[in-house]
């Protein structure tokens, strides 16, 4: 079956712009999580959606937002881009709620460069 | 809060050498522990996991044992191959799920030379 699909894979924006990234989870997976990966901070949890509701949120400013649709596809948005937002944004899906033993399946990521 | 500490590397080994990547964690309760691997240009893939103390996770020749007494989850492989070159991440999730997602270590870049 198809894996987690993220689009676009690469994009370049300038400071002050906004960006929307898309994630299609594995068919049947209802939970989608987003992570930011940078060389300095490593992998950091952004938020998690389950059945169109944001259940968990990491320690990021309000410029970072997301949503989930009825088909479990998810988007995240970053407004008023800053240079420090340059990162690889990873989406992960899992069958049910995010619980200790549930395994996340990650997409290949969307690499955002802010100039 | 939760945290994971692992050697960052790069760690360079010759093919067929023995591999150990150390991972220690700080968490309350009984977290689940994971090792993920990231190959160049790809997302993370689950390598192995352990959900309770003394559990041993294993996959593709890699092993790690959940040691609660030393709060460790060291990754080992008896004989590495060039194809094992990648970045390895140790991670934990709070027992019973949590409000903060998975907590990852900074990653260990492993380079295997032929």
């Amino acid at each position: 079956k198809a894996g987690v699909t993220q689009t676009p894979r690469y994009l370049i924006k300038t400071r002050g712009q906004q960006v929307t990234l898309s994630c299609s989870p594995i068919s049947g997976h209802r939970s989608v999580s987003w992570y930011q990966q940078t060389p300095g901070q490593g992998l950091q949890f952004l938020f998690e959606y389950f059945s169109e509701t944001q259940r968990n949120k990491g320690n990021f400013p309000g410029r970072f937002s997301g949503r989930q649709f009825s088909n479990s596809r998810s988007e995240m948005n970053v407004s008023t881009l800053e240079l420090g937002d340059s990162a690889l944004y990873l989406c992960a899906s899992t069958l049910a709620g995010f619980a200790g033993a549930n395994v996340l399946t990650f997409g290949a990521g969307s690499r955002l460069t802010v100039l | 809060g939760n945290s994971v500490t692992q050697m960052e590397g790069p760690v360079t080994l010759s093919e067929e050498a023995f591999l150990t990547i150390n991972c220690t964690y700080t968490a309350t309760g009984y977290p689940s522990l994971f090792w993920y691997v990231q190959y160049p240009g790809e997302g993370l893939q689950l390598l192995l996991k352990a959900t309770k103390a003394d559990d041993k996770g294993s996959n593709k020749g890699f092993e790690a044992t959940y040691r609660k007494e030393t709060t460790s989850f060291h990754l080992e492989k008896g004989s590495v191959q060039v194809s094992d070159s990648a970045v390895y991440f140790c991670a934990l999730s709070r027992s019973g799920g949590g409000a903060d997602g998975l907590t990852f270590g900074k990653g260990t870049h492993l380079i295997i030379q032929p």
Side-chain angles (χ1 to χ4, degrees), chain A residues 9-10 35 37 39-45 48 56-58 88 90 98-109, chain B residues 32-34 36 38 41-46 49 51 87 89 92-106:
Chain A
R9 289 293 310 277
Y10 303 90
Y35 289 80
Q37 185 178 20
Q41 298 298 317
L43 280 152
Q44 294 183 285
F45 172 70
E48 183 226 352
N56 303 311
K57 181 173 169 59
L88 181 66
L90 292 166
F98 181 71
N102 282 2
V103 174
L104 298 181
T105 301
F106 283 84
Chain B
S32 293
L33 301 174
F34 307 84
Y36 279 85
Q38 185 175 34
E42 298 183 14
L44 277 69
Q45 301 174 24
L46 177 70
K49 66 176 183 178
T51 58
V87 181
F89 293 91
L92 68 81
S93 70
R94 193 156 59 91
S95 55
D100 46 2
L102 280 175
T103 300
F104 285 91
K106 289 290 181 75

Side-chain angles (χ1 to χ4, degrees), chain A residues 82-111:
Chain A
E82 301 176 0
L83 294 179
D85 296 333
S86 294
L88 181 66
Y89 289 89
L90 292 166
C91 168
S93 73
T94 189
L95 262 176
F98 181 71
N102 282 2
V103 174
L104 298 181
T105 301
F106 283 84
S110 293
R111 183 166 295 282

Side-chain angles (χ1 to χ4, degrees), chain A residues 5-7 11 30 32 37-38 56 61 71 80 90 98 109 113:
Chain A
T5 303
Q6 292 189 244
T7 57
L11 67 167
R30 296 170 62 192
V32 173
Q37 185 178 20
T38 60
N56 303 311
N71 61 358
T80 319
L90 292 166
F98 181 71
T113 300

